[in-house]
Amino acid sequence: MSLVAGLIAIGAGIAVGFGAIGSGIGQGIAAGKAFEAMARQPEVRGTVQTFLIIALAFMETLTIYGLVIAFMLLNKMS
Amino acid sequence: MSLVAGLIAIGAGIAVGFGAIGSGIGQGIAAGKAFEAMARQPEVRGTVQTFLIIALAFMETLTIYGLVIAFMLLNKMS
Amino acid sequence: MSLVAGLIAIGAGIAVGFGAIGSGIGQGIAAGKAFEAMARQPEVRGTVQTFLIIALAFMETLTIYGLVIAFMLLNKMS
Amino acid sequence: MSLVAGLIAIGAGIAVGFGAIGSGIGQGIAAGKAFEAMARQPEVRGTVQTFLIIALAFMETLTIYGLVIAFMLLNKMS
Amino acid sequence: MSLVAGLIAIGAGIAVGFGAIGSGIGQGIAAGKAFEAMARQPEVRGTVQTFLIIALAFMETLTIYGLVIAFMLLNKMS
Amino acid sequence: MSLVAGLIAIGAGIAVGFGAIGSGIGQGIAAGKAFEAMARQPEVRGTVQTFLIIALAFMETLTIYGLVIAFMLLNKMS
Amino acid sequence: MSLVAGLIAIGAGIAVGFGAIGSGIGQGIAAGKAFEAMARQPEVRGTVQTFLIIALAFMETLTIYGLVIAFMLLNKMS
Amino acid sequence: MSLVAGLIAIGAGIAVGFGAIGSGIGQGIAAGKAFEAMARQPEVRGTVQTFLIIALAFMETLTIYGLVIAFMLLNKMS
Amino acid sequence: MSLVAGLIAIGAGIAVGFGAIGSGIGQGIAAGKAFEAMARQPEVRGTVQTFLIIALAFMETLTIYGLVIAFMLLNKMS
Amino acid sequence: MSLVAGLIAIGAGIAVGFGAIGSGIGQGIAAGKAFEAMARQPEVRGTVQTFLIIALAFMETLTIYGLVIAFMLLNKMS
Amino acid sequence: MSLVAGLIAIGAGIAVGFGAIGSGIGQGIAAGKAFEAMARQPEVRGTVQTFLIIALAFMETLTIYGLVIAFMLLNKMS
Amino acid sequence: MSLVAGLIAIGAGIAVGFGAIGSGIGQGIAAGKAFEAMARQPEVRGTVQTFLIIALAFMETLTIYGLVIAFMLLNKMS
Amino acid sequence: MSLVAGLIAIGAGIAVGFGAIGSGIGQGIAAGKAFEAMARQPEVRGTVQTFLIIALAFMETLTIYGLVIAFMLLNKMS
Amino acid sequence: MSLVAGLIAIGAGIAVGFGAIGSGIGQGIAAGKAFEAMARQPEVRGTVQTFLIIALAFMETLTIYGLVIAFMLLNKMS
């Protein structure tokens, strides 16, 4: 295994590690505000639940893009 | 595989990893405010839902641009 | 492929990755405030919708500039 | 064991370490807002509990993606 | 193509990537406040619209300066 | 012991050190908001206590993932 | 073209890229507050418009200084 | 003592130093909010005291993980 | 042209680029607050206008100091 | 004394220097909120005093961990 | 001209560039708050004007110290 | 004096310089809140004074730890 | 002039440049709050003026310490 | 003068430069809050004045520690 594999590993780490920072903070803000909305207006609960899941999924995919790139980089290492 | 592949991998990681930070935080703010708006004014729900999806899609594409560059960089590696 | 391609790849990653941080956060703030405005004053909805799309497009182009530079850098790699 | 193992170790550390920053802050915001919502509107408690667990799980997976990449990188080291 | 092209590429990436961070956040703040102003005082809408476009254009040019430098650097690469 | 052990040590330090930043801030926010909720609505205390422990445990595991990776990296050093 | 051109390119990128961060955020704050002022006190609109343009121009010049330095650095490259 | 010991020392410093940043800020927020809760609702004091100690202990362990890794790295140095 | 010119170019970029960050944000805050003051107390407009220009000029000079240093560095390059 | 001592010194500096950032900010927040609580509810003073000392001690130990590691690293230098 | 001139140029850039960040933000805050004070209490205008100029001058000197060091470094270059 | 002394000096600078950042901000927050508490509830002044001194002393020691390490590192230089 | 002069120049730049960041922001906050205090309670003006000058002087000295070190470093260069 | 003097100079710059950041911001917050307290409760002025000077002195010493280390490092240079 040559030295290039080490640099690819760092690239994979950046792709999946930094990508998760924004998604994590974003999901926390979205979920937190959703709980607040549920508490303030209980009858809107159904819509908020649906869109919370949609928003969490949108943010999750941001990190999954990084995960995909990281996996593809891992395949290049061998 | 030469050393250049390692630097390309780092470039791909930066493209997809850092790009996701802003999108993640932005989507969280947008979704959170949308839930707040739904709770405060339930009858505006339809419009907010439509534009939440549009806004999330706009922000998603920012990271997808990074993903596209990362894929193209991965093709250059082989 | 020489070592220069690796440095170009890092340049492309910076162009498209860092550019997306500001656009993402900005779009999130703009969209979030738009939802708030819609909830507070439903009859202003039409104007806010139009200008939300305009503002999102303005911010989207900031990252597209980075994307253009990244593509042009990718062409220089081969 | 060659020098590449050291670079892979740094990549694994970035993947699991930076990924946890966003998730940790996000889970704290979500849980904090959930407690606030429970205190303001006790009868909404059931829904908030369910969605708090869902949101925490979503954020937990962001770091688990980093963990998966880190494990796969560790396997490449030997 | 010599090694210098790689350093020029990084310079181009910095010029267009970092320049977009401030513009993106600034446009988001300006647009968000504009929506808030429209909702609070609908009859001021005409002026706010005009100046929102002017302000967005001002901020857009900040990134375009970076784009111009990046293009000129790209021409130096060949 | 070769030079690679030093790089692995840095990787282990990043994994356990940076991972703890987010968890620490997150646990502080969650616990702080829980105390606030207890003070505002004493009869909700039971639920908040249970979920505070659950949320703290979730955040604790984020750093434990980093600890696991660090231990595994330490085993690779010998 | 020697290696020095690459370092000059990075200097030009820093000059125009980082300079735009502050200008962008500042213009956003100024414009946003101006819209707020217009909405709160419509009859002050004339003065605010005039001084918004002046303030935006002041901030624009900050980045133009960076642009001037970047152009002069580009001329030194050939 | 070879050069590797120096890199291990830096790894130990990162593990225990950065890990303490989050814990310190988190403990401050938690303790501060606990004092606020005690002042607002004196009869909830018993519960808040108990859970403040629990929360502080949880956050303390985050840095202790880093301490453990740092000690283990120190043992590897000799 | 020797390698030193490249380092001087980076120094010039730092001088004019970073110096503009603070000035830009500061001018934005000052102008924004001035608009707010004009809207709240229209009869104080004359004084605020005069001092806004003075304050903007003070902040502009901060970046001009950087510009002066950058020009002097550019002269040293030839 | 070999070069490794210098790297160990940097490790010791990081351990004790960065660890103090979080503790300092945290102690400031905790003490500040304690004063606020004392002012708002003077009769709760006894409990707040006790727990302020406990919380300050908890945060102090975070930096002491870094101090311990720094001392142990110093012993390794000779 | 030897390589040392390049490093001196970077030192001059840091001295004048970073020093301006704090002064710029500080002047913006001070001027902004002064406008706010003038609007809230017009009869205190005289004192605020005098002390605003004094405060701006104090902050200006901070950057001028950096400018002095930068000039002295420039003299050392020749 | 060998090169190692330079690295030790950097370690000493980090120990005493970064450690002071947190302590300074923390002491400012604590003292500021203490003044606020004194103004709001003058009869609690005695207790706040005592604990302000205690809290300032606690935070001062954080930097003194860094100072101790820095002195010990200085002794190792000769 | 040897290469060491360049490193000393960077040290001087850091001493005077970074030291000014905190002083600048701090002076801005102190002056801003002083104007606010003058506007809210005009009869306290005398005391606030005196202590504003004292506080500005305290903060100015922080940067002057850096200036002293920078001058002493400049003397070592020749 | 050998290369080690340059590294010592950088260490001295870090010690006095970074240490001043926290002290500056902290002094600004403390002084600002003191002015606020004086304005809100003029009869508490005596105590606030005394403790403002004490608090400023505490924070000043943090930077003086860095100054002491920087002086001692300067003595090691010759």
Side-chain angles (χ1 to χ4, degrees):
Chain A
M1 204 154 71
S2 68
L3 192 67
V4 67
L7 291 174
I8 292 179
I10 291 178
I14 291 172
V16 81
F18 281 87
I21 294 178
S23 303
I25 297 177
Q27 289 188 339
I29 295 173
K33 287 277 183 184
F35 300 150
E36 207 176 296
M38 285 177 195
R40 200 184 302 169
Q41 196 69 272
E43 70 269 26
V44 86
R45 215 160 46 189
T47 320
V48 169
Q49 284 173 19
T50 314
F51 277 85
L52 175 56
I53 296 297
I54 291 173
L56 290 180
F58 260 99
M59 280 175 265
E60 199 75 17
T61 49
L62 294 176
T63 308
I64 289 172
Y65 295 157
L67 190 68
V68 166
I69 296 297
F71 272 120
M72 288 174 73
L73 286 172
L74 281 170
N75 288 340
K76 299 265 179 186
M77 277 173 74
S78 59
Chain B
M1 204 154 69
S2 69
L3 192 67
V4 67
L7 291 175
I8 293 179
I10 291 177
I14 291 173
V16 81
F18 282 87
I21 294 178
S23 303
I25 297 177
Q27 289 188 339
I29 296 172
K33 287 278 183 185
F35 300 149
E36 207 176 296
M38 284 177 196
R40 201 184 301 170
Q41 195 69 271
E43 71 269 25
V44 87
R45 215 161 44 189
T47 320
V48 168
Q49 284 173 19
T50 313
F51 278 85
L52 176 56
I53 296 296
I54 292 173
L56 291 180
F58 261 99
M59 280 175 266
E60 199 76 17
T61 50
L62 294 176
T63 308
I64 289 172
Y65 295 157
L67 190 69
V68 166
I69 296 298
F71 272 119
M72 288 174 73
L73 286 172
L74 281 170
N75 289 340
K76 299 266 179 185
M77 277 174 75
S78 59
Chain C
M1 205 154 69
S2 69
L3 192 67
V4 67
L7 291 174
I8 292 179
I10 291 177
I14 291 173
V16 81
F18 281 88
I21 294 178
S23 303
I25 297 178
Q27 288 188 340
I29 295 172
K33 287 277 183 185
F35 300 149
E36 207 176 296
M38 285 177 195
R40 200 184 301 169
Q41 196 70 270
E43 70 269 26
V44 87
R45 215 161 45 189
T47 319
V48 169
Q49 284 173 19
T50 314
F51 278 84
L52 175 56
I53 296 296
I54 291 173
L56 291 179
F58 261 99
M59 279 174 265
E60 199 75 17
T61 50
L62 293 176
T63 307
I64 289 173
Y65 296 157
L67 190 69
V68 166
I69 296 298
F71 272 119
M72 288 174 73
L73 286 172
L74 281 170
N75 287 340
K76 299 266 179 184
M77 276 174 76
S78 59
Chain D
M1 204 153 73
S2 69
L3 192 68
V4 66
L7 291 174
I8 292 178
I10 291 178
I14 291 172
V16 81
F18 282 88
I21 294 178
S23 303
I25 297 178
Q27 289 188 340
I29 295 172
K33 287 278 184 184
F35 300 149
E36 207 176 295
M38 285 177 195
R40 200 184 303 169
Q41 195 68 272
E43 70 269 25
V44 86
R45 215 161 44 190
T47 320
V48 168
Q49 284 173 19
T50 313
F51 277 85
L52 175 57
I53 296 297
I54 292 173
L56 290 180
F58 260 100
M59 279 175 265
E60 199 76 17
T61 50
L62 293 177
T63 308
I64 289 173
Y65 295 157
L67 190 68
V68 167
I69 296 297
F71 272 120
M72 287 174 74
L73 286 172
L74 281 170
N75 288 339
K76 300 265 178 184
M77 277 173 74
S78 60
Chain E
M1 205 153 69
S2 69
L3 192 67
V4 67
L7 292 174
I8 292 178
I10 291 178
I14 291 172
V16 81
F18 282 88
I21 294 178
S23 303
I25 297 177
Q27 289 188 340
I29 295 172
K33 287 276 184 185
F35 300 148
E36 206 176 295
M38 286 176 195
R40 201 185 301 170
Q41 196 70 270
E43 70 268 26
V44 87
R45 215 159 46 187
T47 319
V48 169
Q49 284 174 19
T50 313
F51 278 85
L52 175 56
I53 296 296
I54 291 173
L56 291 179
F58 261 99
M59 279 174 265
E60 198 76 16
T61 50
L62 294 176
T63 308
I64 289 173
Y65 295 156
L67 190 68
V68 167
I69 296 298
F71 271 120
M72 288 174 72
L73 286 173
L74 281 170
N75 287 340
K76 299 266 178 185
M77 276 173 75
S78 59
Chain F
M1 205 153 71
S2 69
L3 192 68
V4 66
L7 291 175
I8 292 178
I10 291 177
I14 291 172
V16 82
F18 281 88
I21 294 178
S23 303
I25 297 177
Q27 289 189 340
I29 295 172
K33 287 277 184 184
F35 300 149
E36 207 176 295
M38 286 177 194
R40 200 184 303 170
Q41 195 70 271
E43 70 269 25
V44 86
R45 216 161 44 191
T47 320
V48 168
Q49 284 174 21
T50 313
F51 278 85
L52 175 56
I53 296 298
I54 292 173
L56 290 180
F58 261 100
M59 279 175 265
E60 199 76 16
T61 50
L62 293 176
T63 308
I64 289 172
Y65 296 157
L67 190 68
V68 167
I69 296 297
F71 272 120
M72 288 174 73
L73 285 172
L74 281 170
N75 288 340
K76 299 265 179 185
M77 277 173 75
S78 59
Chain G
M1 205 153 68
S2 68
L3 192 67
V4 67
L7 291 174
I8 292 178
I10 291 177
I14 291 172
V16 81
F18 282 88
I21 294 178
S23 304
I25 297 177
Q27 289 188 341
I29 295 172
K33 287 277 184 185
F35 300 148
E36 206 176 294
M38 285 177 195
R40 200 184 302 170
Q41 195 70 269
E43 71 268 25
V44 87
R45 216 159 46 188
T47 320
V48 168
Q49 285 174 19
T50 313
F51 278 85
L52 175 57
I53 296 296
I54 292 173
L56 291 180
F58 262 100
M59 279 175 265
E60 199 75 16
T61 50
L62 294 177
T63 307
I64 288 173
Y65 296 156
L67 190 68
V68 167
I69 296 297
F71 271 119
M72 289 174 72
L73 285 173
L74 280 170
N75 288 339
K76 299 266 179 185
M77 276 174 75
S78 59
Chain H
M1 205 154 70
S2 68
L3 191 68
V4 66
L7 292 175
I8 291 178
I10 291 177
I14 291 173
V16 82
F18 282 88
I21 294 177
S23 303
I25 297 177
Q27 288 188 340
I29 295 172
K33 287 276 184 185
F35 300 149
E36 207 177 294
M38 285 177 195
R40 199 183 303 169
Q41 196 69 270
E43 70 268 26
V44 86
R45 216 161 44 191
T47 319
V48 168
Q49 284 174 21
T50 314
F51 278 85
L52 175 56
I53 297 298
I54 291 173
L56 290 180
F58 261 99
M59 279 175 264
E60 199 76 17
T61 50
L62 293 176
T63 308
I64 289 173
Y65 296 157
L67 191 68
V68 167
I69 296 297
F71 271 120
M72 289 174 73
L73 285 172
L74 280 170
N75 287 340
K76 300 265 178 185
M77 276 173 76
S78 59
Chain I
M1 206 154 66
S2 68
L3 192 67
V4 66
L7 291 174
I8 292 178
I10 291 178
I14 291 172
V16 82
F18 282 88
I21 293 178
S23 304
I25 297 177
Q27 289 188 341
I29 295 172
K33 287 276 184 185
F35 299 148
E36 206 176 295
M38 286 177 195
R40 200 184 302 170
Q41 195 71 268
E43 72 268 24
V44 86
R45 215 159 46 188
T47 320
V48 168
Q49 285 174 20
T50 313
F51 278 85
L52 175 57
I53 296 297
I54 292 173
L56 290 180
F58 262 100
M59 280 175 264
E60 199 75 17
T61 51
L62 294 176
T63 307
I64 289 172
Y65 295 156
L67 190 68
V68 167
I69 296 297
F71 271 119
M72 289 174 71
L73 286 172
L74 279 171
N75 288 339
K76 300 266 179 185
M77 276 174 75
S78 59
Chain J
M1 206 153 70
S2 68
L3 191 68
V4 67
L7 291 175
I8 291 178
I10 291 178
I14 291 173
V16 82
F18 282 89
I21 294 178
S23 303
I25 297 177
Q27 288 189 340
I29 296 172
K33 288 276 184 185
F35 300 149
E36 207 177 294
M38 285 177 195
R40 199 183 304 169
Q41 196 69 270
E43 70 269 25
V44 86
R45 216 161 44 191
T47 320
V48 168
Q49 284 174 21
T50 314
F51 278 85
L52 175 56
I53 297 297
I54 292 173
L56 290 180
F58 261 100
M59 280 175 264
E60 199 76 16
T61 50
L62 294 176
T63 308
I64 290 172
Y65 296 156
L67 191 67
V68 167
I69 296 297
F71 272 120
M72 288 175 72
L73 285 172
L74 280 169
N75 288 340
K76 300 265 178 184
M77 276 173 76
S78 59
Chain K
M1 206 153 67
S2 68
L3 191 68
V4 65
L7 291 174
I8 292 178
I10 291 178
I14 291 173
V16 81
F18 282 88
I21 294 178
S23 304
I25 297 177
Q27 289 188 340
I29 295 172
K33 287 277 184 183
F35 300 149
E36 207 176 295
M38 285 177 194
R40 199 184 302 170
Q41 195 71 269
E43 72 268 26
V44 86
R45 216 160 44 189
T47 320
V48 168
Q49 284 173 21
T50 314
F51 278 85
L52 175 56
I53 296 297
I54 292 173
L56 290 180
F58 261 100
M59 280 175 265
E60 199 75 17
T61 51
L62 294 176
T63 307
I64 289 172
Y65 295 156
L67 190 67
V68 167
I69 296 296
F71 271 119
M72 290 175 71
L73 286 173
L74 280 170
N75 288 340
K76 301 265 178 185
M77 276 173 75
S78 60
Chain L
M1 206 153 69
S2 68
L3 191 69
V4 66
L7 291 174
I8 292 178
I10 292 178
I14 291 173
V16 82
F18 282 89
I21 294 178
S23 303
I25 297 178
Q27 288 188 340
I29 296 173
K33 288 277 183 184
F35 300 149
E36 207 177 294
M38 285 177 196
R40 199 184 303 170
Q41 196 70 270
E43 71 269 26
V44 86
R45 215 161 45 191
T47 320
V48 167
Q49 283 173 22
T50 315
F51 278 85
L52 175 56
I53 297 296
I54 292 173
L56 290 180
F58 261 100
M59 280 175 265
E60 200 75 17
T61 51
L62 294 176
T63 308
I64 290 173
Y65 295 156
L67 191 67
V68 168
I69 296 297
F71 272 120
M72 289 174 72
L73 286 172
L74 281 170
N75 288 340
K76 300 265 179 185
M77 276 173 76
S78 59
Chain M
M1 207 153 67
S2 68
L3 191 68
V4 66
L7 292 174
I8 292 178
I10 291 178
I14 291 173
V16 82
F18 282 88
I21 294 178
S23 303
I25 297 177
Q27 289 189 339
I29 295 172
K33 287 276 184 185
F35 300 149
E36 207 177 295
M38 285 177 195
R40 199 185 303 170
Q41 195 71 269
E43 72 268 26
V44 87
R45 216 160 44 190
T47 321
V48 168
Q49 283 173 22
T50 314
F51 278 85
L52 175 56
I53 297 297
I54 292 173
L56 290 180
F58 261 99
M59 279 175 266
E60 199 74 18
T61 50
L62 294 176
T63 307
I64 290 173
Y65 295 156
L67 190 67
V68 168
I69 295 297
F71 272 119
M72 289 175 72
L73 285 173
L74 280 170
N75 288 341
K76 301 265 179 185
M77 275 173 76
S78 59
Chain N
M1 207 153 68
S2 67
L3 191 68
V4 66
L7 291 174
I8 292 178
I10 292 178
I14 291 173
V16 82
F18 282 88
I21 294 178
S23 303
I25 297 177
Q27 289 188 340
I29 295 172
K33 287 277 183 184
F35 300 149
E36 207 177 294
M38 285 177 196
R40 199 184 303 169
Q41 195 70 269
E43 71 269 26
V44 86
R45 216 161 44 191
T47 320
V48 168
Q49 283 173 22
T50 315
F51 278 85
L52 175 56
I53 297 297
I54 292 173
L56 290 180
F58 261 100
M59 280 175 266
E60 199 75 16
T61 50
L62 293 177
T63 308
I64 290 173
Y65 295 156
L67 190 67
V68 168
I69 296 297
F71 272 119
M72 289 174 73
L73 286 172
L74 280 170
N75 288 341
K76 301 265 178 185
M77 275 173 76
S78 60

